[in-house]
Amino acid sequence: MASTLHSQPLALEDKSLAHLLYGLMACFPLFLIPVALSLFINLYQPPNHSSRFIVQHLRWQRWSIIGFFLVLSAGYLVNIPWLSTTLYLAASLWFIGRIFKGWLSLIEGSNI
């Protein structure tokens, strides 16, 4: 019985956590709280995921959120309004791209 549990195909593994975290990340235009919650959940997940595929997506999400917050912080600290706005827009567009790329690859079952 134990050998059949480990031989499940990739398509049958539980991807619900990764979908939940991508959903929270996609709420960023409304509030940054869901993104911070997504990072918190991601960081405090036990590292016992059997699938390297899910671990790769969790890492992708973690670094996407950290990079987004770093660029937003830089935009906040810059005193020049046009540069600050440019950093905000660049961070938002980059983050949207990372969400789409990661979520689509999760749905397709391919690596990032």
Side-chain angles (χ1 to χ4, degrees), residues 2-110:
S3 63
T4 60
L5 291 176
H6 295 293
S7 63
Q8 290 181 345
L10 185 62
L12 296 178
E13 68 185 350
D14 187 21
K15 300 177 186 175
S16 58
L17 175 66
H19 282 293
L20 171 72
L21 296 179
Y22 277 122
L24 286 172
M25 288 169 60
C27 295
F28 84 94
L30 303 175
F31 306 102
L32 291 178
I33 294 171
V35 179
L37 178 64
S38 175
L39 180 62
F40 180 76
I41 292 170
N42 193 327
L43 288 173
Y44 290 102
Q45 277 303 305
N48 61 357
H49 291 288
S50 61
S51 170
R52 181 158 169 76
F53 177 73
I54 297 297
V55 170
Q56 184 181 18
H57 276 279
L58 293 176
R59 188 179 329 122
W60 174 267
Q61 292 170 350
R62 192 170 35 248
W63 285 109
S64 297
I65 295 169
I66 291 170
F68 180 61
F69 281 146
L70 285 174
V71 177
L72 284 183
S73 299
Y76 180 76
L77 294 174
V78 171
N79 291 329
I80 305 168
W82 67 268
L83 184 57
S84 179
T85 303
T86 303
L87 285 172
Y88 290 149
L89 289 174
S92 297
L93 291 175
W94 176 79
F95 193 60
I96 289 170
R98 298 274 294 193
I99 293 170
F100 277 121
K101 183 178 178 182
W103 212 344
L104 287 176
S105 68
L106 178 67
I107 291 169
E108 294 172 352
S110 63

